[in-house]
Amino acid sequence: MSDDGQRPPMLGVIGGSGVYDITGLEQARWEQVETPFGDPSDHILVGELEGLPVAFLPRHGRGHPLPPSGVNYRANIDALKRLGVTDVLSLSAVGSLREELAPGTFVLVDQFIDRTIERDKSFFGPGLVAHVSMAEPVCNRLADLVERVAVEEELPVRRGGTYLAMEGPQFSSRAESEMYRAWGCDVVGMTNMPEAKLAREAELCYATVAMVTDFDCWHPDHGNVEVADVIRVLQANASKARSLVEAVAESFGHRPDPCPQGCDRVLDTALITMPQARDPERLRCLDAVAGRVLTNDTE
Ligand SMILES: CSC[C@H]1O[C@H](OP(=O)(O)O)[C@H](O)[C@@H]1O
Ligand SMILES: Nc1ncnc2[nH]cnc12
């Protein structure tokens, strides 16, 4: 932590389907990180990119053993924070719900609708209750940077869009797909919730590059989505995603600090349980996620 209380920048990258490593890391090593919430999806690849400390975590594990509902999202976010990560860039495969978002498009989503039902969605709970705002779930500072770099790299990028997070693992029925379109959603995936909620609770800046791989099942001129389509499009785009990560790391140092949106301070106003009613066991588990605001409780 620096004199002004800021943690030095460190980029965390969560790779989704088809992105199980990143390139260009110096002093790269896979590290095992233990958390009070269980095991992360895999060991975490730590190193430096363009002088910036970077941590990469494959969301489904190397080789993709974990389904979307089996990912331990709390452990993943806790582990990244524990390593010193300040900003999380999520790379995610999504289906398109819009004619103009063709496969190959990189969408910098700015909103989410959470329809997942089987996941631990909060670090907080009995013994320490917190309510963070999800009104603006994506960090604009990070998204601005990714957009600028993507434009420089001449990637087909679109700023803004709503990501519908479904439970899966089955893809949507046509009625569901049409309903998401009627709701004004732009893309559909299975993983960004509760990931974005947990990143917010952990005071991490979070942004997603949603890489469109298919038209789900609503488009009359395209067949229904299959895994093979997703992988084929992702393989065609994986090198673009990797060079985007390298370029983001290169530009990362030149940014205002602290986060203008306040992502790194949300817990200042979120805790509601009075100090005398807090559960010491819960506090111990929150050492990485919320240690900044709990130092008096745990001393
Ligand atoms: C392989 S298609 C479905 C799968 O792909 C997406 O994963 P991720 O967001 O980690 O790239 C989607 O959410 C599903 O988990
Ligand atoms: N059509 C789709 N639905 C849900 N998740 C996806 N990931 C990639 N394509 C998807």
Side-chain angles (χ1 to χ4, degrees):
M1 195 134 21
S2 63
D3 292 347
D4 58 2
Q6 287 299 309
R7 300 190 311 139
M10 179 171 183
L11 177 64
V13 180
I14 300 181
S17 297
V19 186
Y20 308 111
D21 59 20
I22 51 173
T23 47
L25 275 190
E26 287 169 19
Q27 298 153 37
R29 65 217 173 264
W30 286 92
E31 280 190 14
Q32 183 172 9
V33 183
E34 290 179 3
T35 89
F37 302 97
D39 291 332
S41 298
D42 203 332
H43 293 192
I44 299 181
L45 182 61
V46 182
E48 279 193 14
L49 257 182
E50 312 291 346
L52 179 78
V54 172
F56 172 83
L57 175 59
R59 181 184 285 122
H60 302 275
R62 280 168 287 178
H64 208 125
L66 296 172
S69 315
V71 171
N72 188 338
Y73 295 93
R74 293 197 303 179
N76 286 355
I77 295 295
D78 179 284
L80 291 175
K81 175 115 196 224
R82 211 167 273 285
L83 282 172
V85 164
T86 54
D87 296 60
V88 175
L89 182 58
S90 140
L91 303 175
S92 299
V94 292
S96 168
L97 299 169
R98 298 281 151 215
E99 182 79 49
E100 64 276 19
L101 299 179
T105 309
F106 286 28
V107 185
L108 298 178
V109 298
D110 59 0
Q111 285 293 333
F112 298 97
I113 292 181
D114 186 2
R115 293 246 307 163
T116 65
I117 47 175
E118 284 187 8
R119 308 174 186 190
D120 287 325
K121 298 196 179 192
S122 180
F123 290 110
F124 299 92
L128 185 59
V129 179
H131 302 282
V132 299
S133 170
M134 289 300 293
E136 299 295 340
V138 163
C139 175
N140 286 316
R141 177 177 63 174
L142 183 57
D144 285 347
L145 172 61
V146 177
E147 181 185 23
R148 182 161 54 76
V149 165
V151 169
E152 280 165 14
E153 299 267 306
E154 298 183 352
L155 296 177
V157 66
R158 182 19 234 251
R159 181 73 183 260
T162 298
Y163 175 121
L164 186 295
M166 56 183 284
E167 187 61 49
Q170 302 84 0
F171 290 117
S172 308
S173 67
R174 186 157 303 116
E176 287 166 333
S177 200
E178 289 293 4
M179 179 175 73
Y180 304 151
R181 280 163 48 74
W183 284 356
C185 299
D186 297 289
V187 295
V188 56
M190 305 178 190
T191 60
N192 277 206
M193 283 291 172
E195 193 172 88
K197 287 176 173 168
L198 294 165
R200 175 57 51 84
E201 286 189 345
E203 300 193 317
L204 299 175
C205 296
Y206 182 89
T208 285
V209 179
M211 300 187 288
V212 176
T213 53
D214 54 84
F215 278 109
D216 199 37
C217 63
W218 61 271
H219 200 301
D221 302 335
H222 293 268
N224 302 334
V225 55
E226 290 180 8
V227 167
D229 305 324
V230 174
I231 297 302
R232 187 174 33 77
V233 176
L234 276 178
Q235 279 173 350
N237 287 286
S239 62
K240 289 184 194 163
R242 291 192 177 98
S243 60
L244 178 65
V245 168
E246 285 188 38
V248 167
E250 198 173 344
S251 305
F252 207 79
H254 316 292
R255 61 174 209 179
D257 225 4
C259 173
Q261 200 174 321
C263 301
D264 50 3
R265 302 181 298 285
V266 292
L267 295 180
D268 283 348
T269 52
L271 305 184
I272 191 164
T273 308
M274 292 175 186
Q276 65 273 21
R278 294 179 182 178
D279 171 17
E281 186 46 38
R282 168 82 58 180
L283 297 178
R284 263 193 292 282
C285 292
L286 289 166
D287 62 329
V289 161
R292 188 185 70 79
V293 292
L294 296 177
T295 39
N296 292 339
D297 294 78
T298 48
E299 270 164 10

